[in-house]
Amino acid sequence: MALLLHILLFKIRIFFKLSTELNAKNVFKHISSLIVFGGFSLGAFLFARTLTTYLLNEAHLGLFLLHRFLSMLLFVLFVSVNVGNIIVSYATFYRSRETEYLLTKPVPHVNVFIVKFLDNFFYSSTVLFVIVVSVLLGYGSHFRMPWNFYLETIVVQFVPFMLIAGCIAVTALMVLMKLAHRIGVGYVVAILSLLYFGSLFVFFKSTNPLQLVDSVMMHYPHVDQYFAFLDPPFVRFLPNHWIAESLYWTMRGNDTLAQRYALFMLSMAGVCFAGMVLVARKLFYSSWISSLSLRHSTEEQSSMLQFLSLSRPPRMEPQASVILRKEFWQFIREPSQWIHFGVIMLLVVTFIISIAKLQFNATLPAYLTVSYLVLLMFDAFLIASIALRFVYPMISIEGESFWS
């Protein structure tokens, strides 16, 4: 434990020392971050407050439907955090020079694992967490909630919610690394893709939002009743459902039920973290050894892409060829780039499948307005994701060459 605390404190000191150095690079970086993330946060806050007010006061959907829509958005967030942690964890655990350095020192590999997991968790989830907090502030401002509501919701629910997604992702990654050593990386990627596509398909097929709206509106104007019998049985075991239920009962004034779901979320986060550490005791070091052989085999297979090698003569105009090859290898080299691309494409395909059967001509005006709002919200989310995940990080990916 002493070694673990020593490493964590040392990393925190390095982070603050590098971040607080007074130079042009840090000043520009902090100002840019404040403008970009501040703008997105303000936009998310205003959009969440406006949408909540419209759905409740104008569309009269009621608290139950509002929180079921919130549960669906939280499920997408959970999958995004989970997928992002798997790929970013691969770079953090199996491609990081710092991990190699620490494993050569007399430090238990479990301590190295915990340090790198915390490093990975805060690195991969910070942007999404900022957006979640902004949306929560917009949602709570409609109900005029006190300041302690936001603090309790963030600490007791959203942090454990994202921690559960991260723990499941890292645990699955260690198992997949051992499995990839036996059956190959291609089969593992295919299995993982099928699992994610299958889970998204089953979830949205079972929780069809339009069918849910139709079922609730059959009881109009009594739409504020609790229609839990409309929920598929399996959703009660999902973390996104626990947060939605806790928020729903908070707004209904039943703090006992709300706290029950919050404590359950907190307990499950502790269980997932403890289970991840137990798995790491058995698999982390051996899976790291397996990654070395996988890396060697991957480098041998990269000969298939030699036509994009920077050392080969160009087959097109030289400047265009250099830019194309540079962008390709930079995209392949940085795991966060292609996983974000994969997540965005996954969300786009899922959304297209979900709206493919919508009948806009036969829809009531209120439902039509909600449908267009959902489309607009997804477009805004997609544009923000592309800007945050591709354009803005390019400065850090370019490295020192950007500042020259």
Side-chain angles (χ1 to χ4, degrees):
M1 182 60 70
L3 281 173
L4 176 61
L5 293 176
H6 173 75
I7 297 174
L8 288 175
L9 291 175
F10 187 72
K11 288 180 68 67
I12 293 173
R13 289 179 59 185
I14 291 177
F15 173 78
F16 281 107
K17 180 176 178 58
L18 294 177
S19 300
T20 56
E21 287 184 353
L22 189 59
N23 52 49
K25 177 180 177 180
N26 276 343
V27 171
F28 178 78
K29 181 176 68 174
H30 293 323
I31 293 176
S32 301
S33 300
L34 182 63
I35 294 174
V36 173
F37 292 111
F40 278 112
S41 299
L42 179 61
F45 167 79
L46 295 175
F47 182 79
R49 186 175 65 177
T50 304
L51 183 61
T52 303
T53 301
Y54 173 81
L55 293 178
L56 291 180
N57 297 344
E58 302 294 334
H60 302 289
L61 289 184
L63 287 176
F64 178 81
L65 278 178
L66 174 67
H67 288 87
R68 286 305 175 266
F69 291 155
L70 180 61
S71 176
M72 295 175 190
L73 292 176
L74 288 171
F75 180 79
V76 175
L77 174 65
F78 185 87
V79 173
S80 301
V81 173
N82 187 264
V83 176
N85 270 271
I86 284 185
I87 304 301
V88 177
S89 296
Y90 174 74
T92 303
F93 288 119
Y94 302 109
R95 300 294 295 270
S96 171
R97 293 184 179 180
E98 184 182 15
T99 303
E100 296 179 2
Y101 172 79
L102 291 174
L103 287 175
T104 61
K105 304 304 176 184
V107 180
H109 67 270
V110 176
N111 289 353
V112 177
F113 172 83
I114 294 175
V115 169
K116 297 306 294 181
F117 170 77
L118 295 176
D119 189 11
N120 165 76
F121 177 73
F122 288 109
Y123 170 77
S124 62
S125 305
T126 302
V127 175
L128 287 175
F129 183 75
V130 170
I131 295 176
V132 165
V133 172
S134 302
V135 172
L136 177 65
L137 291 172
Y139 162 86
S141 65
H142 171 81
F143 298 98
R144 302 182 184 278
M145 301 302 293
W147 66 269
N148 60 304
F149 162 77
Y150 303 104
L151 182 62
E152 293 173 0
T153 304
I154 292 171
V155 173
V156 183
Q157 296 189 56
F158 278 105
V159 171
F161 172 79
M162 302 181 79
L163 185 62
I164 291 173
C167 291
I168 293 175
V170 174
T171 304
L173 176 63
M174 289 185 287
V175 176
L176 290 173
M177 289 300 297
K178 295 292 293 182
L179 190 61
H181 184 65
R182 297 185 178 182
I183 66 175
V185 177
Y187 288 105
V188 169
V189 172
I191 292 173
L192 192 63
S193 301
L194 287 175
L195 286 176
Y196 280 114
F197 275 110
S199 63
L200 287 171
F201 176 80
V202 171
F203 179 81
F204 286 104
K205 185 71 174 179
S206 303
T207 60
N208 189 319
L210 292 182
Q211 184 178 353
L212 181 63
V213 170
D214 291 337
S215 300
V216 172
M217 286 301 172
M218 292 175 60
H219 300 83
Y220 189 85
H222 307 290
V223 293
D224 268 334
Q225 298 181 14
Y226 186 58
F227 301 96
F229 61 89
L230 298 175
D231 294 328
F234 71 90
V235 300
R236 300 174 185 176
F237 302 97
L238 300 178
N240 57 289
H241 181 76
W242 305 336
I243 292 185
E245 284 288 274
S246 179
L247 293 175
Y248 172 82
W249 289 114
T250 298
M251 301 311 162
R252 294 295 297 268
N254 193 332
D255 293 334
T256 302
L257 276 177
Q259 291 173 2
R260 184 181 303 175
Y261 280 104
L263 291 176
F264 187 68
M265 174 76 73
L266 194 61
S267 302
M268 286 304 299
V271 170
C272 289
F273 184 80
M276 179 190 66
V277 173
L278 290 176
V279 173
R281 291 181 182 274
K282 299 289 185 180
L283 296 181
F284 172 59
Y285 187 74
S286 60
S287 63
W288 184 80
I289 296 298
S290 300
S291 70
L292 298 179
S293 60
L294 287 174
R295 188 187 311 178
H296 178 69
S297 62
T298 303
E299 290 173 355
E300 291 181 347
Q301 294 173 1
S302 64
S303 58
M304 299 173 59
L305 301 174
Q306 285 301 315
F307 69 96
L308 289 172
S309 173
L310 295 174
S311 61
R312 292 178 64 88
R315 297 184 179 180
M316 58 180 72
E317 197 272 327
Q319 292 183 346
S321 176
V322 169
I323 293 176
L324 175 63
R325 298 181 186 189
K326 172 256 183 187
E327 293 293 335
F328 174 80
W329 288 112
Q330 183 171 273
F331 183 82
I332 294 296
R333 181 192 67 191
E334 185 67 24
S336 61
Q337 294 296 302
W338 44 270
I339 184 53
H340 295 152
F341 174 77
V343 171
I344 289 174
M345 292 306 299
L346 181 63
L347 294 176
V348 169
V349 171
T350 303
F351 192 78
I352 291 175
I353 294 174
S354 300
I355 67 173
K357 297 183 180 180
L358 291 181
Q359 299 178 359
F360 291 104
N361 295 332
T363 305
L364 295 177
Y367 301 162
L368 189 62
T369 304
V370 173
S371 300
Y372 280 123
L373 281 173
V374 172
L375 290 170
L376 178 62
M377 182 172 61
F378 179 79
D379 290 338
F381 172 76
L382 186 62
I383 293 171
S385 300
I386 293 174
L388 284 174
R389 298 299 193 177
F390 288 94
V391 179
Y392 184 70
M394 289 298 291
I395 297 176
S396 61
I397 293 174
E398 291 289 349
E400 298 295 336
S401 60
F402 174 83
W403 305 103
S404 62

